[in-house]
C-alpha cells in the first residue's frame, strides 16, 4: 500500500511540474545602484503568451506566500511572479535592512515590477493581476490606484488597510515618533511612520475601477474585517469573500478555499 501511495504522489508531482516551469527572476530596481528584486516566476508550459499575476507578501514575509497560488493561476493561463520586497523582511533576498522599509517604497518596487512585465513580449498586457497579502495588500491596492489602466484585476488577501490608523494612533504627532520602532521583532525607521501621516487609504484605493476580490477571515486579530467590508463598499466593482473562523493567515483548508475564490473570480474576467 505504501508503495502504491508513493508512486501516486510521484506521478502527481511530475504532472504538476509538467504543467509549469519555475525559475529565479531578478528585476533591476533603483537608479544606478545595481540592486535587484529577487523573485520566483512560475510559467505555464502551454501557450506562447500569458497573463501575469504579481504576488506581494505581507509585513516581514517572503516570496514563499505566492507559491500557494501557483497551480491555480498557472491552470488559468497566468504566469506568477512572487518576490521579496527590498528591505521588506529581516530575511528578504532583495535586501534586509528593515529600517529602510516603508509602504511607499514597497509601492515603488511593485510599480517597477509592473513596468518590467509590461515590457515582456510573452506577457499579455491586458491580463496583469495584482495579488497582495496583508501589508502587501495595502501596497497592491495603492499601486493599482496609480496604475489603474494597466491592472486588469486586483486580489486582496486580508489586506492591512489599517496600517496608517494603527501607527498614527500609536504616534499621534510626528514629534512622538522615535528614530527606531519595533514590532514583532522587526525594527522600523522613522520614515516608515512619517510615510503614513497623511495617507488617505480609502480615498486613494477607490480610484481603481477594475474588478476586485477581497478575501478575509472572521477571526482576524490583526486586521479587523470591518476594514475589508469598507473597502468592498469603496470599490466600484468588488466582491468580499469571508472565510469563517479564519485568522490573519490561513490554514491549509482555508488556503484551498481562498484558491477556489481566486479561480472563480479570474475565470469570470
Amino acid at each position: 500500500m505504501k508503495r502504491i501511495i508513493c508512486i501516486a504522489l510521484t506521478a502527481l508531482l511530475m504532472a504538476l511540474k509538467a504543467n509549469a516551469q519555475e525559475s529565479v527572476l531578478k528585476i533591476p530596481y533603483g537608479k544606478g545602484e545595481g540592486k535587484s528584486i529577487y523573485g520566483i516566476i512560475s510559467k505555464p508550459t502551454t501557450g506562447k503568451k500569458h497573463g501575469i499575476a504579481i504576488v506581494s507578501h505581507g509585513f516581514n514575509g517572503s516570496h514563499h506566500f505566492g507559491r500557494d497560488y501557483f497551480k491555480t493561476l498557472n491552470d488559468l493561463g497566468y504566469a506568477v511572479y512572487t518576490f521579496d520586497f527590498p528591505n521588506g523582511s529581516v530575511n528578504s533576498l532583495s535586501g534586509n535592512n528593515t529600517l529602510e522599509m516603508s509602504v511607499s517604497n514597497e509601492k515603488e518596487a511593485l510599480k517597477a515590477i509592473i513596468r518590467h512585465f509590461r515590457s515582456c513580449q510573452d506577457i499579455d498586457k491586458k491580463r496583469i493581476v495584482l495579488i497582495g497579502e496583508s501589508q502587501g495588500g495595502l501596497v497592491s491596492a495603492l499601486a493599482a490606484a496609480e496604475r489603474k489602466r494597466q491592472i486588469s484585476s486586483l486580489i486582496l488577501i486580508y489586506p492591512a488597510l489599517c496600517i496608517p490608523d494603527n501607527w498614527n494612533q500609536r504616534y499621534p504627532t510626528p514629534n512622538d515618533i522615535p528614530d527606531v520602532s519595533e514590532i514583532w521583532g522587526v525594527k522600523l525607521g522613522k520614515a516608515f511612520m512619517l510615510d503614513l501621516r497623511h495617507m488617505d487609504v480609502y480615498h486613494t484605493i477607490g480610484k481603481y475601477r477594475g474588478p476586485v476580490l477581497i478575501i478575509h477571515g472572521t477571526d482576524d486579530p490583526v486586521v479587523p474585517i470591518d476594514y475589508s467590508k469598507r473597502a468592498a463598499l469603496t470599490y466600484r466593482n468588488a466582491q468580499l469573500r469571508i472565510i469563517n473562523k479564519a485568522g490573519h493567515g490561513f490554514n491549509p483548508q482555508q488556503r484551498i478555499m481562498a484558491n477556489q475564490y481566486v479561480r472563480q473570480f479570474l475565470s469570470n474576467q
Side-chain angles (χ1 to χ4, degrees):
M1 178 60 72
K2 289 183 179 179
R3 178 177 173 79
I4 293 173
I5 293 173
C6 288
I7 291 173
L9 288 173
T10 301
L12 176 60
L13 289 172
M14 290 179 66
L16 291 177
K17 288 182 179 179
N19 291 329
Q21 295 176 335
E22 285 186 31
S23 59
V24 172
L25 174 61
K26 296 181 180 181
I27 296 176
Y29 176 65
K31 296 181 179 180
E33 298 176 359
K35 296 180 179 179
S36 63
I37 298 169
Y38 177 93
I40 302 290
I41 188 164
S42 176
K43 290 184 177 182
T45 56
T46 58
K48 294 182 179 180
K49 213 165 193 178
H50 311 291
I52 180 72
I54 304 169
V55 185
S56 298
H57 65 76
F59 178 83
N60 202 36
S62 77
H63 65 276
H64 291 290
F65 168 77
R67 291 184 178 277
D68 286 348
Y69 298 90
F70 275 4
K71 181 171 179 2
T72 294
L73 293 163
N74 289 157
D75 287 351
L76 291 171
Y78 287 90
V80 188
Y81 185 65
T82 182
F83 65 98
D84 289 356
F85 275 114
N87 305 310
S89 163
V90 295
N91 297 310
S92 172
L93 297 177
S94 305
N96 61 2
N97 182 4
T98 58
L99 291 173
E100 296 184 6
M101 186 198 307
S102 77
V103 169
S104 289
N105 284 347
E106 292 192 351
K107 179 188 66 178
E108 292 306 311
L110 180 53
K111 286 162 58 178
I113 293 170
I114 295 168
R115 287 194 298 272
H116 170 84
F117 284 111
R118 281 180 54 80
S119 71
C120 295
Q121 296 300 314
D122 61 343
I123 294 299
D124 181 353
K125 296 172 184 60
K126 294 181 179 179
R127 292 197 303 154
I128 298 179
V129 178
L130 298 186
I131 302 177
E133 170 217 21
S134 193
Q135 181 168 297
L138 171 61
V139 171
S140 297
L142 295 173
E146 291 190 15
R147 293 291 181 265
K148 51 184 175 288
R149 293 183 178 86
Q150 300 174 0
I151 305 305
S152 61
S153 300
L154 175 64
I155 299 173
L156 305 176
I157 315 293
Y158 40 86
L161 306 178
C162 60
I163 287 176
D165 285 351
N166 291 349
W167 286 108
N168 288 334
Q169 288 168 9
R170 181 168 176 176
Y171 301 127
T173 73
N175 289 335
D176 295 321
I177 304 172
D179 290 335
V180 178
S181 299
E182 185 171 327
I183 183 170
W184 302 330
V186 179
K187 294 183 188 300
L188 298 173
K190 190 171 186 176
F192 186 98
M193 317 306 162
L194 292 174
D195 180 48
L196 305 171
R197 293 303 301 174
H198 303 292
M199 189 174 288
D200 189 337
V201 171
Y202 292 97
H203 174 75
T204 301
I205 66 175
K207 295 176 183 178
Y208 178 70
R209 303 303 178 88
V212 181
L213 171 65
I214 307 170
I215 306 174
H216 210 127
T218 58
D219 296 357
D220 190 329
V222 177
V223 182
I225 196 172
D226 284 349
Y227 279 89
S228 283
K229 289 180 177 179
R230 181 179 174 186
L233 295 174
T234 299
Y235 284 114
R236 174 182 289 186
N237 180 11
Q239 53 183 277
L240 172 62
R241 298 294 188 183
I242 296 173
I243 299 181
N244 191 40
K245 296 184 178 179
H248 199 70
F250 297 152
N251 65 32
Q253 186 60 40
Q254 292 160 353
R255 288 200 297 271
I256 290 173
M257 293 179 65
N259 269 276
Q260 291 173 342
Y261 291 142
V262 169
R263 181 183 298 278
Q264 293 168 3
F265 174 70
L266 292 178
S267 295
N268 293 325
Q269 303 305 315

